[in-house]
Every structure is written in structure tokens, then in C-alpha cells.
Amino acid sequence: MNYYLISGEASGDLHGANLMKAIKQTDPQANFRFLGGDLMLAEGGHIVKHYSEMAFMGFVEVVMNLRTVLRNIKMVKQDLLQDRPDALVLIDFPGFNLKIAEFAKKNGIKVFYYISPKVWAWNQKRVLKIKKVVDHLYCILPFEVEFFRSWGMEVDYVGNPLLDEIAASTPNENFRTQNGLTDQKIIALLPGSRRQEVSSILTDMLSVVRNFPGYQFVIAGAPTFTQDYYDALMPNQKLKVVFGQTYDLLRNAEAAIVTSGTATLETALFHVPEIVVYKGNKISIAIARLVIKIRFISLVNLIMDKLVVKELIQEDCNPAKITEELNALLHDDAYRSNMLKNYQELSEKMGEPGASKRTAELIFKELQ
């Protein structure tokens, strides 16, 4: 079968690569064409465009880059008509992917959506459009199944692909020595993978370092950036940046400061006490606060349906509040213990690994 996959950011690249790996086990003759990143490229096939040229986060940012977005949509539509895949597999990235789904459906291409659009967060009536343009939807968060069913849509819950990735990872016992780290306790900094996120949030993360002299702070570098990029953001500090070693960093971390996104859930699944931070364009955040219908922004709190990890958003994302919360994580034993207890419950809710395999098998079965 010919598979055409579209992911538009780092987390989608990770999940897309795992899905491709699982599809090859189910369909050894599989051919791939995709929009994604280096991890998907490593699985083989033809890359049409790298996600680093596509990821724009926030209402204002999308408007400012609208020409690029529209050009990418037009290019993918033309490419789909030329390629005529047996299956179009869309991975998250709903603003872009739902437009492609509508086009593909009109042109008789079977549409599968893996990692369902987060329509439960805002504009829930978009479910009605999804019902029209998507043949099969695969959910990775437990509460999503009930939400889609409430709109009369049957979906498959396949588990969460992060569990696959974590289960497949092998701990590096020499992580500290190979990266020139000391025996001091580590605070992990996960500032995100988008340029606009990193440039606005890393500064606040770095500003708390001097308040914790007994710890070493280590940055999880995104694959789309170089060491020079991070060096330019911290001219007066030279923290260690590790690339492609986020899981080993979390295995060794005492606590973490994490930009809102998939990494918040990864950190919790490694049972690392964390602070969730986010800062964006003021107008984008103001619009988001008007339209978003959820109580929390972090996946940890959304899945647990309660405040498990502190969320410091926009004006609350400042050195004083980050310092206060990090002090609590490191020195308030009862607070730390309660968070770890909630993490255990979260792990049980998430279930077992195998999401990629289950999704690949369901897609292949539909194509037969």
C-alpha cells in the first residue's frame, strides 16, 4: 500500500515515525510519502516538506505567515492528486490537516486521522466537519472517546504512543559522564521545539538558575536547533544543552520546568515533578482565553481532570513564580509526594504500550 502521512511539529514527527515502523511490520511492502521530520525520514520513504517550515503556533503567528501556510496547503493538494495514495494518514496539526482531509475526501482518497484534533478545547462543533471528512479517527487520550461519542461519532481508542516510545528507549548509564555533568542534582529545562516558544520562554527559565546554586540546570535541545542557537539566547550563562537525550535527561532529573505541550505528559510519565509554563503573543493568548473551553492547558491536568501540576501562563510565567514553585517541588516533601502519587494514577489511566501497532493494524484492516 501507498501511505501519505502529514505531521507538522516535533511530537507529530515522533508519533509518525513510530506509526511508520508499525505499518512496515503489518504491511512489509508499504511505501511512504510524507510531511514530517528527521525521525520519519529515518524510517524511509520520500519527505515532501520538513515540519520546521510549517509549524506556526498562535492566532497572530498563523495570520502573519498566512501566505506560507496557504502555499503549503496548495502544494500538498497538488501532490496528493499526483500521488493518489491508498491511505492519507493525518497526525494532529488540525488547522492544516482538516483542510487537507476535506480536499482528500472530495477526491476519493481514504482519510485516517491519528491523534485526533483537540476540538474538545474550543469550537466543538468542528466535530461535525470531522464526521464528514475523516473515515476513521484514532484517539490517544482516554477522555476523548466519551467526548466524540457525545457527538454521535464512533472512534477507536488506541492508547498513547508516548508509552511506546518510552518503553522502547534504553537508559544510558553513562549519561552524566558523556555530557560532562557533575553529581549535583539536575533540574531539566524543556523549553519546546518552536522558535517562538523557545525565544520567549527560555529567558524566564534561565533567570531562576541563580536562585538554586546547589543544582545543575540542563536544557533539552530541540532537533531543529543548533548549539549556537541556544548559546545566543544565554550570552551570560553557559548551561549544558543535550540533543536527542531528553528521556535520559528526565531519568536523571530531580525536577523539570516544561513548556506546555506533549513534553508535559512525557515528564509526568517519567515521574519527574514539574512546572508547566507558557508564554506567547499577547493578542494570541487573549484570543485563546476567549475561545478555549477547558480549565487546564497541560495534558497531565486534562487527563486527570484536576490540578496536578502548576500551570504558569503568560503574566504568571515569571522568575518569581517559577522560583516559588520550584522551591516547593524540591523542598516541600508533602507537595512533592502528592504529585508523584497523582503521576502513578495517571500512568494507570494511560494503559499499556502498543498504540502505534494497534493503529497500524486498524488502518491496514480498513484498506483490505
Side-chain angles (χ1 to χ4, degrees), residues 23-49:
I23 287 173
K24 285 189 289 187
Q25 292 170 355
T26 307
D27 179 6
Q29 303 304 314
N31 295 303
F32 298 107
R33 192 173 179 84
F34 59 89
L35 285 77
D38 298 342
L39 297 176
M40 293 173 73
L41 191 57
E43 292 302 321
H46 176 80
I47 185 166
V48 177
K49 187 171 279 289

Side-chain angles (χ1 to χ4, degrees), residues 169-242:
S169 66
T170 304
N172 178 5
E173 302 299 334
N174 300 311
F175 171 75
R176 286 178 182 257
T177 54
Q178 285 179 2
N179 289 286
L181 301 172
T182 69
D183 290 334
Q184 278 186 316
K185 289 179 178 177
I186 292 173
I187 308 297
L189 302 180
L190 281 67
S193 61
R194 297 183 183 93
R195 188 173 294 272
Q196 68 200 57
E197 287 176 343
V198 178
S199 60
S200 64
I201 294 171
L202 186 58
T203 302
D204 287 314
M205 290 183 172
L206 295 173
S207 65
V208 308
V209 173
R210 64 179 181 272
N211 300 328
F212 298 89
Y215 296 84
Q216 57 186 326
F217 287 70
V218 183
I219 299 169
T224 44
F225 303 130
T226 63
Q227 180 70 48
D228 289 343
Y229 173 74
Y230 291 99
D231 287 343
L233 291 174
M234 46 181 182
N236 302 317
Q237 292 169 288
K238 284 294 175 274
L239 300 190
K240 288 283 184 182
V241 183
V242 298

Side-chain angles (χ1 to χ4, degrees), residues 107-153:
N107 285 278
I109 298 169
K110 220 165 179 57
V111 181
F112 301 88
Y113 214 120
Y114 178 47
I115 307 179
S116 56
K118 297 170 182 63
V119 289
W120 36 264
W122 67 287
N123 195 4
Q124 296 185 353
K125 287 186 178 178
R126 285 186 299 168
V127 176
L128 300 176
K129 179 179 180 179
I130 293 170
K131 285 174 74 172
K132 289 179 182 175
V133 303
V134 173
D135 292 294
H136 291 277
L137 185 65
Y138 307 105
C139 298
I140 65 166
L141 298 171
F143 64 83
E144 290 179 326
V145 177
E146 187 179 334
F147 167 77
F148 282 106
R149 283 180 180 163
S150 73
W151 284 86
M153 187 174 182

Side-chain angles (χ1 to χ4, degrees), residues 269-333:
L269 291 171
F270 276 96
H271 292 225
V272 179
E274 68 180 304
I275 310 164
V276 175
V277 295
Y278 192 78
K279 185 178 280 187
N281 179 282
K282 288 181 180 179
I283 297 173
S284 291
I285 294 291
I287 295 170
R289 283 175 166 160
L290 287 173
V291 301
I292 288 177
K293 308 295 184 188
I294 51 177
R295 291 191 295 155
F296 308 112
I297 65 165
S298 76
L299 288 172
V300 178
N301 294 339
L302 284 167
I303 294 167
M304 294 295 287
D305 197 26
K306 64 181 180 181
L307 187 67
V308 174
V309 295
K310 179 77 89 176
E311 299 178 349
L312 300 177
I313 307 165
Q314 207 61 359
E315 60 274 4
D316 288 332
C317 179
N318 62 62
K321 291 202 172 183
I322 295 172
T323 296
E324 181 185 359
E325 182 62 16
L326 188 53
N327 263 317
L329 292 182
L330 296 172
H331 304 126
D332 186 333
D333 290 343

